Amino acid sequence: MANSLPVNPSTISPAEQKVREVLRWIRSHNEQALAMAGLFLLVVALVAFMIHHHQIENEEAWNQLGVTQGQLMQGQTAETRQSLDTWEQRFKGSNAATYARFLRADLLYRTSDYATAATTYSDLAVTGRPDEIRPLALAAQSYTEEMAGHLPQAQAAAKEFIERYPDHFMAASMYLAQARLMELTGNTAGASVVYDRFAILYPQSPWTAFAKSRGPSSAAPTKLPNDNDAKNR
């Protein structure tokens, strides 16, 4: 059998040289190579199992939260609290954790613990994941602060909502909330401006007529008829 031609090392690429070194190591360390291959396959199988298990756990977490939300909607506050406590012990690290916190805040609101609920909503408005939950939490914070009697804080949250999320589907209700809170705190002039802004932005809203009645034009003095008007009739 003819001998293979010698290979000039200078003609071998660095990648090919590395492959040759690995093959030489495997030929001289068969047992270690097989053990490493077996370990690699074991790690791959373990990672796949963990991913699959994580997916199952997340699905179960969402399913359980759906049941808990149903309890809250039916006014079963004690059962809701117990379900949330049990849920957090098992699913606290799942991707449904933020929604569970929101549900906890809703429970606090339902049980008139407005101060704690507002604090939870406020935190979710900043740190909630996914980001879509943040405007919902900010709106809830405004309403909850109002229920707690914290009108300046409620007004600030409504104002922040409008500034941060002007195109959100809840922006219209936040305009009305801001105007109402201004009226409650004695700022009727500011409320009038907000009502006018609402009427311009939402001309087809069921609340537009109400907003116009509270806007600046509603405060204009009524023009009294003069003698010339009477003559021209």
Side-chain angles (χ1 to χ4, degrees):
M1 183 176 179
N3 293 328
S4 58
L5 295 174
V7 178
N8 184 357
S10 63
T11 64
I12 301 176
S13 67
E16 185 178 353
Q17 182 66 29
K18 180 63 68 176
V19 171
R20 287 175 179 244
E21 292 175 3
V22 171
L23 291 176
R24 280 197 297 269
W25 187 91
I26 291 176
R27 281 196 295 268
S28 59
H29 301 82
N30 286 333
E31 291 184 1
Q32 291 103 316
L34 290 174
M36 290 179 64
L39 179 61
F40 174 75
L41 292 175
L42 179 61
V43 170
V44 171
L46 180 60
V47 170
F49 171 78
M50 291 177 63
I51 292 175
H52 179 66
H53 178 71
H54 185 66
Q55 291 174 340
I56 294 176
E57 283 288 289
N58 279 328
E59 290 178 2
E60 182 63 19
W62 283 106
N63 289 335
Q64 290 296 327
L65 273 186
V67 174
T68 303
Q69 184 182 34
Q71 292 175 329
L72 182 60
M73 292 177 66
Q74 295 173 18
Q76 301 172 2
T77 55
E79 292 83 353
T80 302
R81 182 176 289 104
Q82 182 177 357
S83 295
L84 282 173
D85 291 341
T86 303
W87 188 95
E88 289 177 354
Q89 292 176 5
R90 179 179 175 185
F91 301 112
K92 190 174 182 179
S94 73
N95 60 12
T98 295
Y99 184 76
R101 291 183 62 204
F102 203 108
L103 199 58
R104 174 78 71 177
D106 287 348
L107 172 64
L108 293 167
Y109 183 94
R110 289 285 190 95
T111 54
S112 302
D113 189 353
Y114 301 122
T116 309
T119 300
T120 304
Y121 286 133
S122 176
D123 182 60
L124 288 171
V126 177
T127 64
R129 288 286 187 275
D131 291 346
E132 288 76 11
I133 205 169
R134 297 182 182 185
L136 302 178
L138 187 57
Q141 178 192 351
S142 178
Y143 292 129
T144 307
E145 293 282 18
E146 182 177 357
M147 291 298 296
H150 305 154
L151 300 187
Q153 293 89 331
Q155 183 178 333
K159 182 176 183 292
E160 181 182 355
F161 186 103
I162 293 170
E163 292 173 348
R164 291 175 59 184
Y165 309 107
D167 299 322
H168 196 273
F169 69 89
M170 291 191 67
S173 61
M174 284 291 97
Y175 270 106
L176 293 175
Q178 184 186 23
R180 181 183 68 253
L181 289 163
M182 285 180 170
E183 288 181 322
L184 290 173
T185 54
N187 186 4
T188 55
S192 180
V193 172
V194 175
Y195 279 128
D196 189 56
R197 179 68 174 165
F198 176 91
I200 294 172
L201 292 175
Y202 306 99
Q204 304 301 321
S205 170
W207 290 95
T208 302
F210 170 79
K212 287 181 177 179
S213 71
R214 312 290 285 187
S217 59
S218 66
T222 303
K223 181 182 178 181
L224 298 177
N226 55 34
D227 293 338
N228 291 329
D229 292 331
K231 293 177 182 178
N232 294 329
R233 289 178 182 175

